[in-house]
């Protein structure tokens, strides 16, 4: 399987540890492996690939470079050499992490099978023989030193060089540049976390200045938060007013539709009033005259007809009896029916 480690689960061993020594002893270095054989996976043993560097502030760019080296061939055994503090300070400058921290960072990378401490700056043939290295992995750019234009040139000439790709946008130098750019911010952060000015190599005046700037920054942040809250409250208030205006317009419109001069309620009142007036209004005058005439004709005889020559031949009309007040008094005094009739006849005769 490509890139399978031959050591057990756990941190990668140092080269002087038993697991690494046994792996070295099992390797038959007399069997030379060409680049074509390694890529084809036809080698009779594991392919030992070596990568070296300082690996200060171990980051994803380092991990990706080691992943490329590990996955370059099937059954790769990846050895990583880490330069010591003394050699690094001499050749390149001061590191952020010390050598022990850098060694441990490499041991816990999943792609690494073995770590060599105090690795040399340039790789000699004796070093290749000692660690039985088949290929050296590094990016393809020339790596200049004080005594060479490219310390990997002799390996490239012997087809023992495995080129890897750098990860753009991240390097130890870039990370340090970011810290320097925001130096005051990181100093303020560490001061608030309990570090003393002495531990941060900051003077007393610098410490007070940074603390003042930190407090000022906090006040600005709080003021900004307060202004944002006020703005949010104002926006919410405007939104509520807008909604209230919309609701009020709707309410007024509905009220006018119901109670306005031409509203439903007014129309209902007018319709009810019209029905009521129609229900209680008197009968038409023409109908009343006809009704009254018919009543008189049926109740009273035609007096002009009574005086006419033909009236003698006709029987007189039946008259309705009228009860005079004297009759009412008589009734109250207990006269009988015949007395009432006599009295009525007398009244008619008179």
């Amino acid at each position: 399987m490509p890139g399978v480690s031959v050591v057990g689960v756990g941190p990668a061993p140092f080269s002087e540890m038993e697991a690494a020594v046994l792996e070295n002893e099992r390797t038959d270095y007399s069997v030379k492996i060409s680049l074509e054989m390694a890529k084809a996976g036809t080698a009779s043993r594991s392919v030992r690939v070596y990568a070296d560097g300082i690996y200060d502030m171990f980051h994803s760019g380092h991990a990706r470079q080691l992943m490329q080296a590990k996955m370059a061939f099937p059954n790769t055994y990846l050895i990583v050499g880490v330069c010591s503090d003394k050699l690094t300070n001499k050749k390149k400058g001061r590191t952020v992490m010390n050598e022990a921290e850098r060694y441990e960072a490499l041991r816990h990378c999943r792609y690494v099978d073995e770590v060599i401490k105090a690795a040399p700056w340039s790789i000699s043939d004796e070093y290749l023989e000692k660690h039985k290295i088949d290929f050296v992995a590094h990016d393809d750019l020339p790596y200049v030193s004080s005594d060479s234009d490219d310390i990997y040139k002799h390996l490239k000439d012997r087809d023992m060089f495995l080129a890897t790709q750098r990860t753009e946008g991240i390097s130890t130098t870039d990370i340090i540049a970011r810290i320097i750019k925001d130096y005051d911010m990181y100093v303020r952060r560490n001061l608030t976390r309990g570090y003393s000015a002495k531990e941060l190599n900051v003077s007393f005046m610098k410490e007070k200045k940074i603390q003042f700037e930190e407090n000022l920054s906090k006040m600005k942040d709080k003021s900004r938060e307060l202004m944002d809250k006020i703005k949010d409250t104002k926006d919410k208030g405007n939104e509520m007013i807008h909604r209230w205006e919309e609701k009020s317009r709707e309410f007024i419109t509905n009220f006018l539709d119901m109670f306005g001069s031409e509203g439903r309620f007014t129309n209902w009142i007018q319709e009810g009033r019209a029905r009521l007036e129609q229900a209680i209004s008197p009968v038409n005058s023409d109908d009343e005259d006809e009704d009254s005439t018919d009543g008189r004709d049926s109740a009273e005889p035609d007096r002009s007809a009574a005086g006419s020559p033909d009236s003698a031949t006709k029987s007189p009309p039946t008259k309705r009896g009228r009860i005079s007040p004297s009759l009412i008094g008589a009734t109250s005094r207990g006269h009988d029916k015949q007395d009432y009739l006599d009295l009525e006849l007398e009244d008619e005769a008179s």
Side-chain angles (χ1 to χ4, degrees):
M1 183 177 177
V4 175
S5 175
V6 296
V7 297
V9 178
F14 289 118
S15 60
E16 65 273 14
M17 290 182 173
E18 182 180 2
V21 172
L22 291 175
E23 178 62 28
N24 186 289
E25 291 175 351
R26 282 197 297 266
T27 301
D28 185 3
Y29 198 58
S30 62
V31 179
K32 298 300 180 181
I33 301 174
S34 65
L35 190 61
E36 290 75 13
M37 292 173 58
K39 290 181 178 179
T42 57
S44 59
R45 59 175 177 82
S46 59
V47 181
R48 294 170 69 87
V49 178
Y50 176 79
D52 62 349
I54 300 169
Y55 299 105
D56 191 20
M57 302 181 70
F58 189 81
H59 52 75
S60 61
H62 295 140
R64 289 178 64 85
Q65 188 255 342
L66 297 176
M67 178 189 70
Q68 294 175 55
K70 178 71 174 180
M71 305 301 292
F73 312 122
N75 196 22
T76 299
Y77 184 83
L78 181 59
I79 306 168
V80 179
V82 184
C83 300
S84 65
D85 288 344
K86 182 178 180 179
L87 181 61
T88 303
N89 293 341
K90 179 181 178 181
K91 294 288 187 177
K92 198 169 184 178
R94 186 179 180 86
T95 59
V96 177
M97 300 170 64
N98 61 44
E99 59 186 33
E101 294 168 339
R102 292 184 286 113
Y103 296 156
E104 286 299 317
L106 269 298
R107 289 189 66 198
H108 290 82
C109 177
R110 61 179 298 184
Y111 307 112
V112 178
D113 297 310
E114 180 181 331
V115 175
I116 300 176
K117 295 186 289 185
W121 199 258
S122 298
I123 301 172
S124 63
D125 290 342
E126 293 77 15
Y127 190 79
L128 295 173
E129 289 285 340
K130 178 182 178 181
H131 296 284
K132 299 180 178 180
I133 298 169
D134 296 310
F135 300 97
V136 176
H138 203 275
D139 62 82
D140 201 20
L141 297 175
Y143 205 85
V144 181
S145 67
S146 58
D147 54 355
S148 175
D149 294 335
D150 186 1
I151 61 176
Y152 297 105
K153 186 177 183 305
H154 66 291
L155 298 170
K156 295 175 182 178
D157 295 340
R158 295 163 60 180
D159 290 333
M160 294 182 66
F161 185 80
L162 177 64
T164 57
Q165 300 297 319
R166 295 177 66 89
T167 301
E168 295 296 330
I170 185 168
S171 67
T172 302
T173 303
D174 291 336
I175 295 173
I176 294 174
R178 296 176 199 173
I179 296 173
I180 294 173
K181 179 182 177 182
D182 298 320
Y183 168 77
D184 289 347
M185 181 187 71
Y186 290 113
V187 171
R188 287 200 303 269
R189 184 185 69 173
N190 285 355
L191 286 174
T192 57
R193 292 183 178 182
Y195 286 87
S196 65
K198 183 178 180 180
E199 289 174 317
L200 298 175
N201 195 27
V202 175
S203 65
F204 176 80
M205 293 302 297
K206 182 70 173 179
E207 177 188 7
K208 297 306 176 184
K209 178 184 176 182
I210 291 174
Q211 289 176 346
F212 173 78
E213 291 175 349
E214 176 68 15
N215 293 332
L216 182 62
S217 177
K218 289 181 179 179
M219 291 179 62
K220 288 181 179 179
D221 292 339
K222 291 182 178 179
S223 300
R224 194 176 297 110
E225 292 177 0
L226 180 60
M227 293 301 295
D228 291 340
K229 289 181 180 179
I230 293 174
K231 182 179 179 181
D232 293 340
T233 304
K234 183 179 179 181
D235 293 340
K236 291 180 180 178
N238 292 335
E239 183 179 358
M240 291 179 63
I241 292 173
H242 181 67
R243 290 182 179 177
W244 181 85
E245 289 177 350
E246 292 180 350
K247 293 294 182 183
S248 63
R249 293 192 192 99
E250 182 180 355
F251 174 79
I252 292 171
T253 302
N254 294 335
F255 183 85
L256 293 176
D257 289 342
M258 178 62 73
F259 300 103
S261 59
E262 298 180 358
R264 294 193 297 272
F265 186 78
T266 304
N267 293 336
W268 179 78
I269 292 295
Q270 293 176 353
E271 290 175 0
R273 183 180 298 171
R275 293 194 190 98
L276 183 62
E277 291 176 353
Q278 184 178 1
I280 66 175
S281 62
V283 183
N284 194 334
S285 60
D286 295 338
D287 296 338
E288 290 178 354
D289 293 341
E290 292 177 0
D291 292 343
S292 60
T293 304
D294 294 341
R296 286 195 299 271
D297 292 342
S298 61
E300 298 181 359
D302 189 354
R303 298 187 185 274
S304 61
S308 65
D310 296 335
S311 62
T313 62
K314 294 182 180 179
S315 60
T318 304
K319 293 184 179 180
R320 183 185 302 169
R322 292 187 302 215
I323 300 176
S324 63
S326 60
L327 291 179
I328 295 174
T331 303
S332 62
R333 289 192 297 272
H335 294 283
D336 57 11
K337 182 177 182 183
Q338 187 60 40
D339 294 335
Y340 298 151
L341 293 175
D342 295 341
L343 290 172
E344 183 178 5
L345 292 173
E346 291 177 358
D347 291 339
E348 290 180 356
S350 61

